[in-house]
Amino acid sequence: VVAREAQKTQDIAAQGPKENKFVSKGVTIRLDTIAGDLENPWGIAFLPGGDMIFTERSGKLWRVNAKKQKAQIMGVPPVLDESQGGLLDVILHPKFAENKFIYLTYSKFRDSSGVKLSTTAVFRAKLENDQLVDGKDIFVALPYTQTRYHYGSRMVFDRNGFMFLSVGERGKQDEMPQDLSKGCGKIHRIYDDGRIPADNPFVNTPGAVGSIWSYGHRNPQGLAVHPVTGEIFEHEHGPRGGDELNWIQKGKNYGWPVVSYGTHYDGRSFTDNTQKDGIENPLTYWVPSIAPCGMTFVTSDKYKGWKNELLVGSLRFKYITKVKLDGKKVESQEPILQNLGRMRCVVQGPDGYLYVAIEEPGYIFRLMPE
C-alpha cells in the first residue's frame, strides 16, 4: 500500500498541470507547476514584483520569476541540515519595499566539547539582487540541545508590525515547554529587529524569557493571522495523535505535556488529562495525527466559498484540511488535494492564488480554480 501511494504521488507530480485536477464542493482545482526537482521545500514568500522566493531545508534559498526561471540567492547562514533541521521558514518585512528586509528561520549550531548542539534562530538580512547582505541573528532560542527535531520555526507579522514566531520543545517535553526560563516550546513576540516589547506578558517575571507570548507548545509548525480579527492562530504536532489547532492568546498555557489528546508512539499514555484548569483547550484536535505543517487563511475571491477559511497542510496524509470557522468554533473540515504529497507549506500569493510546497518528491504548485 505504501509503495502504491508513493508511486501515485510521483505520477501526479509528473503529469503536468493540465492533467492534475481536484474537486472541492464545486470548485475544481488544476495544478500549475511552479518549481520541481526540489529536495525539501519548506517556506514560501513573494517579492513586490511578483517573484516567489522559497527555502529548501538543505540550506538553499531560491527566487523564481514569472517565467518560472530559478536563481539561487546567496548569503544564507550555515544550517544544520540533519533530520528535521536546516533552512526553514522565510517571510518579508511588512515594509519590504522600503527596507528590503527578509527573515529566515534555521537550525543554528555550535560545538560544545566536541558535541554539536543546535537550536532555532531567526536571521534578518537585506536582499540586494540575489544576495543577502548585512545579515545577523535577531533571535536565538536557548538552550541549545543535541536533538535534531522539533524546531517549530514559523513566522508571521501581525497588523501592528510585531513578529510572532514558533519554537518547538526540541523533544525535551519534561524540561522545556512549561519552563518560562527556556525559549523552547513557546510562541514568541518581538519587534522586527529582535527587541522585546515592554507589554509582553512575562517581561517582568523574574527569570523568564521576555520574548515569550504563550507556552506549553510541542512542535508548532503553523502560524496565521486571521484576516478579519487580526488574531493569531497556531497548529502543532502532538505525539501519537493529539495534533492541535489553537487560538493564541497573551500569556496563556497550552498544556504540553500536562494535557494532551495523544499518547507515546508505542501507545503508552503519558498523561490522563485532556483538560485542566488554567490550560487552554484546542479549537480542534486530530486523532490520528495528521502531522500538520503550514497554514494560511484564504482572503481571495478566486475560490468560490473558501473565503476566510483556514487551510492546514498534512504531512502524514498528503492533503490539505480546509477548516471552516464560526468565530472560535470549528464548524466543518474537508480534506482536499488528497494524495498529492507531503504538504510542507501552504500560502496565498499577492495574485490571490494559493501555493503549496510538497516534499518526496519536492514540488511547488499554484492552485488554479476552473
Side-chain angles (χ1 to χ4, degrees), residues 121-157:
V122 177
F123 178 82
R124 185 181 82 165
K126 289 186 176 182
L127 179 61
E128 294 184 357
N129 298 317
D130 288 329
Q131 181 74 38
L132 298 181
V133 300
D134 301 330
K136 66 176 182 179
D137 292 328
I138 65 165
F139 174 89
V140 179
L142 297 178
Y144 286 75
T145 73
Q146 294 186 54
T147 54
R148 303 290 191 260
Y149 46 87
H150 294 188
Y151 291 94
S153 216
R154 291 292 180 187
M155 300 175 287
V156 293
F157 278 102

Side-chain angles (χ1 to χ4, degrees), residues 56-123:
E56 283 191 278
R57 203 171 62 202
S58 61
K60 295 176 182 177
L61 181 64
W62 299 96
R63 178 203 294 259
V64 180
N65 64 21
K67 297 180 180 180
K68 302 179 182 179
Q69 297 169 325
K70 192 171 66 172
Q72 188 172 356
I73 297 173
M74 308 306 292
V76 173
V79 306
L80 184 63
D81 177 24
E82 294 181 11
S83 186
Q84 297 176 8
L87 185 61
L88 304 172
D89 205 10
V90 56
I91 63 172
L92 304 184
H93 192 284
K95 296 182 179 180
F96 175 85
E98 300 172 18
N99 58 36
K100 308 300 181 184
F101 281 137
I102 183 172
Y103 297 81
L104 303 169
T105 55
Y106 72 105
S107 53
K108 183 180 178 68
F109 62 94
R110 65 179 177 85
D111 182 83
S112 176
S113 302
V115 178
K116 190 175 288 185
L117 306 177
S118 66
T119 191
T120 302
V122 177
F123 178 82

Side-chain angles (χ1 to χ4, degrees), residues 208-220:
V209 177
S211 58
I212 293 173
W213 185 257
S214 64
Y215 64 106
H217 299 287
R218 187 172 182 268
N219 188 26

Side-chain angles (χ1 to χ4, degrees), residues 78-358:
V79 306
L80 184 63
D81 177 24
E82 294 181 11
S83 186
Q84 297 176 8
L87 185 61
L88 304 172
D89 205 10
V90 56
I91 63 172
L92 304 184
H93 192 284
K95 296 182 179 180
F96 175 85
E98 300 172 18
N99 58 36
K100 308 300 181 184
F101 281 137
I102 183 172
Y103 297 81
L104 303 169
T105 55
Y106 72 105
S107 53
K108 183 180 178 68
F109 62 94
R110 65 179 177 85
D111 182 83
S112 176
S113 302
V115 178
K116 190 175 288 185
L117 306 177
S118 66
T119 191
T120 302
V122 177
F123 178 82
R124 185 181 82 165
K126 289 186 176 182
L127 179 61
E128 294 184 357
N129 298 317
D130 288 329
Q131 181 74 38
L132 298 181
V133 300
D134 301 330
K136 66 176 182 179
D137 292 328
I138 65 165
F139 174 89
V140 179
L142 297 178
Y144 286 75
T145 73
Q146 294 186 54
T147 54
R148 303 290 191 260
Y149 46 87
H150 294 188
Y151 291 94
S153 216
R154 291 292 180 187
M155 300 175 287
V156 293
F157 278 102
D158 74 357
R159 293 175 174 178
N160 297 314
F162 292 107
M163 176 189 284
F164 288 79
L165 62 109
S166 69
V167 179
E169 36 79 295
R170 306 305 314 288
K172 304 290 186 179
Q173 67 183 45
D174 297 324
E175 303 171 27
M176 300 287 199
Q178 295 294 320
D179 188 342
L180 294 177
S181 71
K182 297 179 172 64
C184 302
K186 315 294 193 304
I187 304 298
H188 297 264
R189 175 182 181 250
I190 58 176
Y191 284 111
D192 62 348
D193 59 1
R195 290 177 297 118
I196 297 173
D199 60 345
N200 273 9
F202 304 108
V203 164
N204 298 316
T205 301
V209 177
S211 58
I212 293 173
W213 185 257
S214 64
Y215 64 106
H217 299 287
R218 187 172 182 268
N219 188 26
Q221 293 193 333
L223 284 177
V225 179
H226 194 285
V228 177
T229 67
E231 295 164 320
I232 305 296
F233 286 72
E234 171 258 17
H235 67 58
E236 62 187 76
H237 292 253
R240 184 180 180 184
D243 299 339
E244 296 181 358
L245 174 65
N246 292 303
W247 167 39
I248 298 301
Q249 302 172 71
K250 179 179 181 178
K252 298 294 186 178
N253 182 358
Y254 289 81
W256 178 251
V258 180
V259 302
S260 178
Y261 288 89
T263 65
H264 283 291
Y265 289 105
D266 61 8
R268 292 180 295 115
S269 174
F270 55 82
T271 178
D272 295 326
N273 299 316
T274 55
Q275 298 184 27
K276 192 173 182 179
D277 289 344
I279 292 177
E280 297 302 303
N281 296 324
L283 303 184
T284 192
Y285 62 91
W286 291 279
V287 176
S289 170
I290 66 170
C293 193
M295 178 167 67
T296 196
F297 280 97
V298 181
T299 62
S300 170
D301 292 318
K302 293 186 180 295
Y303 305 87
K304 185 178 179 180
W306 290 21
K307 195 165 187 177
N308 294 333
E309 293 193 356
L310 185 64
L311 303 185
V312 176
S314 168
L315 290 165
R316 181 180 180 186
F317 291 118
K318 303 178 181 179
Y319 58 53
I320 287 177
T321 297
K322 187 159 66 70
V323 180
K324 185 175 183 179
L325 294 169
D326 181 6
K328 304 302 185 302
K329 180 181 178 182
V330 173
E331 190 174 282
S332 64
Q333 297 187 54
E334 178 194 2
I336 60 174
L337 275 65
Q338 297 188 61
N339 294 313
L340 177 60
R342 284 171 53 85
M343 295 287 179
R344 180 57 73 178
C345 183
V346 52
V347 298
Q348 182 179 295
D351 57 4
Y353 291 106
L354 295 164
Y355 295 77
V356 297
I358 66 169

